[in-house]
Amino acid sequence: GKKQYIVPYLMSSHPGSTLDCAIELAEYLRDINYQPEQVQDFYPTPFTVSTCMYYTEKNPFTKEKVYVAKNPKEKALQRVLLQYTYPQNQTLVFEALKQANRLDLVGFGSHCLIKPLRQESVNRSREVSGRQRKGNH
């Protein structure tokens, strides 16, 4: 008679996942209005296909090369994208979007993942006013 719930558990930086894949997943999470609480970076565990992919950087079934994020910074960028709504992740989310050339997802539109960061807003307004001053002379 007790209520039961399914709580999705997402993994970031799985072998084969790129920063673009993480952005695509963040967009999907935005579209379904879901904010995951449980996200974990992939770490190899013995005797799994995923671990085989991690170490060989190949798909064991097709032998094709797969991308594997191993750098801690890169893994962090993929992870924060899955929890892009968390205030403490905003700076790294911005960094990830900038690195992926996806600043179209920064703004106030419904398609955006994050609002402009405070310092970024200041920098942009300085750029605009600087261009205006140059144009007026």
Side-chain angles (χ1 to χ4, degrees):
K2 293 183 180 180
K3 289 188 177 187
Q4 296 183 4
Y5 300 92
I6 296 175
V7 179
Y9 183 84
L10 300 178
M11 186 168 294
S12 62
S13 306
H14 189 275
S17 296
T18 63
L19 188 57
D20 289 335
C21 294
I23 291 170
E24 187 177 340
L25 180 54
E27 290 180 289
Y28 175 74
L29 293 170
R30 174 205 61 211
D31 293 346
I32 65 168
N33 197 30
Y34 182 71
Q35 298 175 15
E37 293 179 25
Q38 297 185 26
V39 175
Q40 177 183 329
D41 286 333
F42 172 82
Y43 285 96
T45 54
F47 307 109
T48 65
V49 172
S50 299
T51 296
C52 176
M53 292 171 69
Y54 179 84
Y55 285 110
T56 64
E57 297 184 9
K58 291 184 179 182
N59 179 322
F61 304 109
T62 65
K63 307 299 186 237
E64 291 178 286
K65 185 161 179 58
V66 295
Y67 178 77
V68 178
K70 293 185 178 179
N71 175 303
K73 176 71 173 203
E74 187 174 6
K75 290 173 74 76
L77 292 179
Q78 286 195 33
R79 185 181 190 287
V80 296
L81 282 162
L82 303 186
Q83 294 176 318
Y84 67 89
T85 61
Y86 287 28
Q88 67 269 27
N89 292 345
Q90 300 300 287
T91 302
L92 281 179
V93 170
F94 179 82
E95 186 177 330
L97 295 173
K98 187 174 181 180
Q99 183 176 318
N101 201 23
R102 290 300 311 270
L103 291 180
D104 59 298
L105 296 173
V106 178
F108 298 97
S110 60
H111 72 285
C112 294
L113 295 178
I114 61 170
K115 293 181 171 90
L117 302 178
R118 186 178 202 134
Q119 187 58 43
E120 186 62 25
S121 296
V122 169
N123 291 344
R124 284 186 186 175
S125 55
R126 284 183 184 158
E127 288 174 17
V128 169
S129 64
R131 281 188 295 231
Q132 289 171 345
R133 272 186 263 130
K134 287 179 184 176
N136 290 338
H137 293 297

